[in-house]
Amino acid sequence: MLHLRSTKRGLRSRFPQAGLRVGELAAVQSWIGFDGTESGFGFIDRSRLPGADPNADGGVLRPCEQAMDLTDGTWAVANGPAESLAVSAACVMHAVSWFSYIAPQSGIVTVDTLAGADFDTRIAVTGDCDSTTLFACNDDAAGGTGGASGLSFAATAGSTYLIALGSDDPGAFGSAMLTIAGPDSAGGTTDDEDFGYGEQLGFLPCETAPRLQPGLYDIQIEPGLDFETYPSCLDSGGTFNQIFNPVLFRFMSDRAGRYVASTCDGTLADTRIVVAAGCDSGTVVACNDDADGCWTRSEVVFDVEPGVEYVIIVGSKTADDAGWGILNLHEVPVPQDPRRMYMTVGIAGIAFPGGSLTGIKPHDVILLDQATGQWTMHIDGSDVGLGATWVIDALEAMPDGSFIVSFTGNVYLPGLVGGPDGTLVNRCDLVRFVPTSTGWDTAGTWEFWFDGSDVGLATTGENIDAVDVMPDGSLLVSTQAAMTVPGFTNVAAQSILRFIPASLGAVTSGSWQWYLDSRDVALLATTENVDAISVRPNGSVTLSTTGAFLVTGLDGTGGDAFDFFPDALGAFTAGWFSMWFDGSASGFGASEKLNSLAEAP
């Protein structure tokens, strides 16, 4: 059925709350499209969405008065210049038009522009105007052409959903054929088609399962299905043959690898996890109940073959156990080559494995060679004019063998060349050390390199305590406390900005961009201030913090360094973490920490 409608409509008078009723498959409340496109890490700061009321506890004020009522069918609609919607790095759309849909029955609803559009479309689905639930988002649906988009989401009978149709370009808009197929339409799935509630299943209802990319997902385990997992879980040591209230997901990779699916990041239910290869539910490849160190939560490790679709089943141990939870799906990192890493440390003498370094001061630079296990002195700060109490708190190793350095306080650096104030170096500045010899007999020259006051860094809290220089010459910068620079206000000490220089030295100029927004990846505590950065050749970012940190799947102290593997960077950051350097294993005590680090070229 083809419908022709205008793009304006009056305010709706009825907006029931969205949410799956008891006895229905719970849907992952994440942004997922036909092709598995998702928004990333799940820790979305919704107060930063366009139209958000900062005093409304993260609620999004959607333009309901502009939402056109739609029912099942194909609609000819038009987009014009309008507001942009940015929910994550993976879901940003422009020239947005809004549509309202009431689900006639509970089940899976599909929305797409596969019937045609004269611009590259993007689609998102949210809850009603009283809801902050974000259901799905897609750009470029599998099987579509010309930038067509499509997605599916689990709907509840009588609930209202807002559909946002936009483009991938602020200047692109036009006409589109928007098709909606609910559970009672062709292509939809009704409550009682293929499965029933409260009964055991001998198959996997995979048509209801959204496709996942690696990332972190909110899930809702609700009373309903009793799933038979077959004796495979008993045979494999899983010690159970049933899983209750299951939530199903599909996952496929284009390359072989090893993956982890885990609820150890937190759920209210006592969970079980089963992974099957394909919709043949007899082919169970992994299952777990009560993973080691996770209390009543579960975690499975499974090997993936390219092009094979795997079904991940998350459920509870008993029929009446339910609740909200988090599913963390990530790849087990391939062991990396040993690193050679320069460090400064807040200690004065420590016995390192593989050798003893004594008399180390916070103004010294030491080198860890993981291939040999050796620690050596590389820059003896006292040899090149650094005072006994001076602390190097930001460090970068340049390809030519020189070093970029910042100090915790204002210092007068003997022999400094090119400074705007003689030999004075401010805590917001960076200087370059060019060595002519290294080790216990260090020699070299100091050059002024970056004037922070020229580009907005001026206060004590804007002390640069982490820096990295990218291959394109841009700088990654984090500060001791919140920083305010041109274009950015009150950027948290846990976050990282990127500086694009137009000039360096005594007259510094350039512009600032987002690089890593800590709010998106749960770096929020004051002890999680990022005070060391090193971007690796593989794109991962090695970090250290001023004190104790707790991120998804990982915790540690200020003496540790960990890797962030980004799925997205910038204003909407997403990714996952893995430990790289365990300070306690190298002799770091509870109060001893890494001040800075830089990978040797």
Side-chain angles (χ1 to χ4, degrees):
M1 180 183 299
L2 175 64
H3 306 272
L4 300 176
R5 298 286 290 272
S6 68
T7 58
K8 295 291 183 181
R9 185 74 179 204
L11 180 66
R12 296 196 59 82
S13 61
R14 184 168 64 92
F15 284 90
Q17 287 289 332
L20 292 176
R21 64 177 170 81
V22 171
E24 295 183 324
L25 280 174
V28 61
Q29 295 183 353
S30 181
W31 293 69
I32 306 168
F34 279 154
D35 60 352
T37 302
E38 48 85 20
S39 68
F41 216 61
F43 289 104
I44 298 173
D45 182 0
R46 295 186 173 89
S47 66
R48 293 184 291 125
L49 303 185
D53 178 356
N55 299 315
D57 194 25
V60 180
L61 302 178
R62 287 182 284 278
C64 299
E65 69 281 357
Q66 300 176 15
M68 184 178 83
D69 297 341
L70 299 185
T71 57
D72 292 341
T74 299
W75 301 81
V77 298
N79 280 34
E83 69 172 2
S84 296
L85 174 69
V87 179
S88 77
C91 188
V92 178
M93 62 178 66
H94 309 279
V96 179
S97 291
W98 291 88
F99 306 91
S100 177
Y101 174 78
I102 298 178
Q105 296 188 36
S106 295
I108 303 302
V109 177
T110 62
V111 184
D112 64 65
T113 57
L114 298 175
D118 58 11
F119 64 100
D120 191 343
T121 61
R122 292 184 176 180
I123 300 175
V125 175
T126 76
D128 66 25
C129 281
D130 297 322
S131 169
T132 59
T133 300
L134 310 174
F135 284 97
C137 183
N138 178 252
D139 177 31
D140 299 337
T145 58
S149 304
L151 53 82
S152 61
F153 64 98
T156 302
S159 292
T160 299
Y161 301 89
L162 293 181
I163 301 168
L165 173 65
S167 69
D168 66 348
D169 183 340
F173 44 83
S175 300
M177 305 300 290
L178 183 64
T179 300
I180 302 179
D184 58 349
S185 301
T189 302
T190 62
D191 280 5
D192 55 3
E193 180 181 346
D194 294 335
F195 61 90
Y197 297 106
E199 63 184 59
Q200 292 185 344
L201 301 181
F203 64 95
L204 298 178
C206 297
E207 70 281 357
T208 67
R211 294 184 177 94
L212 303 187
Q213 298 280 336
L216 198 72
Y217 298 89
D218 294 343
I219 58 174
Q220 183 71 34
I221 298 172
E222 295 189 337
L225 292 169
D226 173 4
F227 187 75
E228 179 73 45
T229 61
Y230 305 99
S232 302
C233 285
L234 294 172
D235 297 341
S236 64
T239 66
F240 65 91
N241 63 358
Q242 278 188 314
I243 186 169
F244 295 88
N245 311 321
V247 186
L248 278 66
F249 309 94
R250 288 177 288 175
F251 172 68
M252 181 185 294
S253 175
D254 59 1
R255 58 186 175 85
R258 177 165 291 182
Y259 285 80
V260 175
S262 173
T263 60
C264 291
D265 294 304
T267 61
L268 298 180
D270 185 344
T271 59
R272 288 174 170 173
I273 299 179
V274 177
V275 177
C279 285
D280 175 5
S281 59
T283 312
V284 174
V285 298
C287 50
N288 178 252
D289 178 28
D290 300 342
D292 290 343
C294 291
W295 193 38
T296 60
R297 296 150 190 163
S298 308
E299 183 173 279
V300 294
V301 179
F302 59 103
D303 292 319
V304 167
E305 295 295 329
V308 175
E309 187 167 64
Y310 294 84
V311 181
I312 302 170
I313 310 159
V314 183
S316 57
K317 189 172 185 175
T318 62
D320 59 353
D321 198 359
W324 172 88
I326 297 174
L327 174 65
N328 185 357
L329 175 66
H330 64 270
E331 187 174 7
V332 177
V334 176
Q336 301 181 46
D337 294 335
R339 307 183 200 179
R340 297 177 67 245
M341 193 71 79
Y342 297 109
M343 302 179 182
T344 65
V345 292
I347 53 181
I350 192 168
F352 294 100
S356 179
L357 286 175
T358 58
I360 303 300
K361 298 288 196 273
H363 63 207
D364 298 329
V365 177
I366 56 177
L367 173 64
L368 167 62
D369 187 337
Q370 286 189 310
T372 63
Q374 294 295 312
W375 296 81
T376 55
M377 171 69 83
H378 192 75
I379 296 176
D380 185 342
S382 61
D383 289 347
V384 289
L386 304 188
T389 61
W390 296 7
V391 176
I392 295 176
D393 65 344
L395 179 73
E396 169 64 321
M398 302 294 282
D400 62 1
S402 64
F403 290 85
I404 305 301
V405 172
S406 183
F407 302 99
T408 56
N410 299 341
V411 300
Y412 287 90
L413 187 58
L416 177 68
V417 176
D421 299 307
T423 61
L424 175 64
V425 179
N426 189 278
R427 57 174 55 87
C428 305
D429 299 334
L430 296 169
V431 293
R432 178 171 175 251
F433 176 66
V434 183
T436 55
S437 64
T438 58
W440 289 105
D441 295 310
T442 302
T445 58
W446 293 95
E447 302 171 356
F448 194 85
W449 197 72
F450 172 92
D451 190 338
S453 63
D454 288 346
V455 290
L457 299 175
T459 68
T460 300
E462 290 172 339
N463 162 49
I464 296 175
D465 66 351
V467 67
D468 190 83
V469 180
M470 303 292 281
D472 64 359
S474 62
L475 285 68
L476 304 185
V477 173
S478 187
T479 52
Q480 178 183 344
M483 63 172 146
T484 296
V485 294
F488 295 87
T489 301
N490 202 32
V491 176
Q494 299 89 340
S495 294
I496 303 171
L497 291 185
R498 187 172 192 160
F499 178 72
I500 313 298
S503 63
L504 290 168
V507 180
T508 300
S509 64
S511 59
W512 295 93
Q513 297 177 353
W514 269 116
Y515 183 77
L516 187 153
D517 189 339
S518 61
R519 295 170 295 183
D520 294 337
V521 291
L523 284 169
L524 303 171
T526 56
T527 57
E528 293 172 338
N529 171 14
V530 169
D531 68 345
I533 310 168
S534 180
V535 178
R536 307 218 59 231
N538 66 0
S540 64
V541 187
T542 304
L543 304 170
S544 186
T545 55
T546 54
F549 65 89
L550 175 62
V551 293
T552 302
L554 197 67
D555 63 88
T557 71
D560 301 328
F562 54 99
D563 291 331
F564 174 64
F565 293 86
D567 295 323
L569 287 165
F572 297 94
T573 302
W576 52 280
F577 298 90
S578 177
M579 185 69 80
W580 167 66
F581 175 79
D582 183 349
S584 62
S586 295
F588 285 43
S591 61
E592 296 161 345
K593 64 176 299 298
L594 287 175
N595 282 346
S596 63
L597 53 84
E599 188 160 6

